[in-house]
mmCIF file of all heavy atoms in Angstrom:
data_model
loop_
_atom_site.group_PDB
_atom_site.id
_atom_site.type_symbol
_atom_site.label_atom_id
_atom_site.label_comp_id
_atom_site.label_asym_id
_atom_site.label_seq_id
_atom_site.Cartn_x
_atom_site.Cartn_y
_atom_site.Cartn_z
ATOM 1 N N ILE A 150 82.099 65.446 116.363
ATOM 2 C CA ILE A 150 83.332 65.174 117.104
ATOM 3 C C ILE A 150 83.649 66.330 118.044
ATOM 4 O O ILE A 150 83.598 67.501 117.656
ATOM 5 C CB ILE A 150 84.504 64.960 116.128
ATOM 6 C CG1 ILE A 150 84.173 63.802 115.177
ATOM 7 C CG2 ILE A 150 85.797 64.686 116.880
ATOM 8 C CD1 ILE A 150 85.074 63.719 113.981
ATOM 9 N N GLN A 151 83.963 65.985 119.272
ATOM 10 C CA GLN A 151 84.368 66.981 120.275
ATOM 11 C C GLN A 151 85.885 67.065 120.275
ATOM 12 O O GLN A 151 86.581 66.066 120.471
ATOM 13 C CB GLN A 151 83.857 66.581 121.654
ATOM 14 C CG GLN A 151 84.062 67.640 122.718
ATOM 15 C CD GLN A 151 83.360 67.272 124.005
ATOM 16 O OE1 GLN A 151 83.519 66.174 124.521
ATOM 17 N NE2 GLN A 151 82.554 68.181 124.516
ATOM 18 N N ILE A 152 86.402 68.281 120.059
ATOM 19 C CA ILE A 152 87.845 68.500 119.980
ATOM 20 C C ILE A 152 88.243 69.507 121.062
ATOM 21 O O ILE A 152 87.627 70.567 121.187
ATOM 22 C CB ILE A 152 88.250 69.044 118.599
ATOM 23 C CG1 ILE A 152 87.746 68.106 117.494
ATOM 24 C CG2 ILE A 152 89.764 69.213 118.506
ATOM 25 C CD1 ILE A 152 87.911 68.678 116.101
ATOM 26 N N LYS A 153 89.263 69.175 121.815
ATOM 27 C CA LYS A 153 89.719 70.056 122.884
ATOM 28 C C LYS A 153 90.135 71.404 122.304
ATOM 29 O O LYS A 153 90.902 71.484 121.345
ATOM 30 C CB LYS A 153 90.904 69.425 123.621
ATOM 31 C CG LYS A 153 91.323 70.178 124.867
ATOM 32 C CD LYS A 153 92.427 69.443 125.599
ATOM 33 C CE LYS A 153 92.832 70.180 126.867
ATOM 34 N NZ LYS A 153 93.945 69.486 127.574
ATOM 35 N N GLY A 154 89.601 72.481 122.872
ATOM 36 C CA GLY A 154 89.930 73.817 122.400
ATOM 37 C C GLY A 154 88.959 74.379 121.393
ATOM 38 O O GLY A 154 89.047 75.556 121.043
ATOM 39 N N PHE A 155 88.015 73.561 120.917
ATOM 40 C CA PHE A 155 87.003 74.027 119.974
ATOM 41 C C PHE A 155 85.759 74.483 120.742
ATOM 42 O O PHE A 155 85.324 73.796 121.680
ATOM 43 C CB PHE A 155 86.607 72.918 119.000
ATOM 44 C CG PHE A 155 87.521 72.772 117.816
ATOM 45 C CD1 PHE A 155 88.887 72.610 117.987
ATOM 46 C CD2 PHE A 155 87.020 72.795 116.531
ATOM 47 C CE1 PHE A 155 89.732 72.464 116.901
ATOM 48 C CE2 PHE A 155 87.848 72.653 115.429
ATOM 49 C CZ PHE A 155 89.217 72.487 115.611
ATOM 50 N N PRO A 156 85.153 75.610 120.347
ATOM 51 C CA PRO A 156 83.957 76.093 121.053
ATOM 52 C C PRO A 156 82.716 75.266 120.754
ATOM 53 O O PRO A 156 81.725 75.341 121.482
ATOM 54 C CB PRO A 156 83.794 77.522 120.528
ATOM 55 C CG PRO A 156 84.426 77.490 119.160
ATOM 56 C CD PRO A 156 85.572 76.519 119.277
ATOM 57 N N SER A 157 82.729 74.496 119.687
ATOM 58 C CA SER A 157 81.576 73.666 119.332
ATOM 59 C C SER A 157 82.071 72.422 118.617
ATOM 60 O O SER A 157 83.260 72.282 118.294
ATOM 61 C CB SER A 157 80.592 74.449 118.450
ATOM 62 O OG SER A 157 81.235 74.913 117.276
ATOM 63 N N LEU A 158 81.142 71.507 118.351
ATOM 64 C CA LEU A 158 81.502 70.250 117.714
ATOM 65 C C LEU A 158 81.906 70.464 116.260
ATOM 66 O O LEU A 158 81.438 71.395 115.608
ATOM 67 C CB LEU A 158 80.322 69.280 117.775
ATOM 68 C CG LEU A 158 79.777 68.928 119.162
ATOM 69 C CD1 LEU A 158 78.584 67.991 119.037
ATOM 70 C CD2 LEU A 158 80.858 68.304 120.035
ATOM 71 N N LEU A 159 82.766 69.604 115.760
ATOM 72 C CA LEU A 159 83.105 69.575 114.342
ATOM 73 C C LEU A 159 82.360 68.400 113.725
ATOM 74 O O LEU A 159 82.419 67.277 114.229
ATOM 75 C CB LEU A 159 84.606 69.408 114.137
ATOM 76 C CG LEU A 159 85.075 69.321 112.680
ATOM 77 C CD1 LEU A 159 84.979 70.683 112.015
ATOM 78 C CD2 LEU A 159 86.501 68.796 112.589
ATOM 79 N N THR A 160 81.650 68.648 112.641
ATOM 80 C CA THR A 160 80.879 67.600 111.972
ATOM 81 C C THR A 160 81.595 67.152 110.707
ATOM 82 O O THR A 160 82.018 67.973 109.892
ATOM 83 C CB THR A 160 79.466 68.101 111.616
ATOM 84 O OG1 THR A 160 78.776 68.449 112.822
ATOM 85 C CG2 THR A 160 78.678 67.024 110.887
ATOM 86 N N VAL A 161 81.724 65.845 110.576
ATOM 87 C CA VAL A 161 82.375 65.252 109.409
ATOM 88 C C VAL A 161 81.368 64.365 108.688
ATOM 89 O O VAL A 161 80.612 63.622 109.329
ATOM 90 C CB VAL A 161 83.600 64.413 109.830
ATOM 91 C CG1 VAL A 161 84.265 63.781 108.617
ATOM 92 C CG2 VAL A 161 84.595 65.273 110.609
ATOM 93 N N SER A 162 81.346 64.435 107.376
ATOM 94 C CA SER A 162 80.444 63.616 106.573
ATOM 95 C C SER A 162 81.239 62.568 105.803
ATOM 96 O O SER A 162 82.134 62.909 105.023
ATOM 97 C CB SER A 162 79.653 64.487 105.586
ATOM 98 O OG SER A 162 78.872 63.679 104.726
ATOM 99 N N ILE A 163 80.915 61.291 106.045
ATOM 100 C CA ILE A 163 81.546 60.194 105.312
ATOM 101 C C ILE A 163 80.446 59.238 104.844
ATOM 102 O O ILE A 163 79.285 59.393 105.228
ATOM 103 C CB ILE A 163 82.575 59.437 106.175
ATOM 104 C CG1 ILE A 163 81.898 58.834 107.414
ATOM 105 C CG2 ILE A 163 83.716 60.349 106.576
ATOM 106 C CD1 ILE A 163 82.837 57.985 108.260
ATOM 107 N N THR A 164 80.802 58.260 104.051
ATOM 108 C CA THR A 164 79.801 57.297 103.603
ATOM 109 C C THR A 164 79.539 56.270 104.701
ATOM 110 O O THR A 164 80.367 56.075 105.600
ATOM 111 C CB THR A 164 80.267 56.567 102.334
ATOM 112 O OG1 THR A 164 81.419 55.788 102.643
ATOM 113 C CG2 THR A 164 80.583 57.558 101.230
#
Side-chain angles (χ1 to χ4, degrees):
I150 302 166
Q151 188 172 51
I152 305 171
K153 188 176 181 182
F155 276 54
S157 58
L158 302 178
L159 178 73
T160 299
V161 179
S162 175
I163 60 176
T164 65

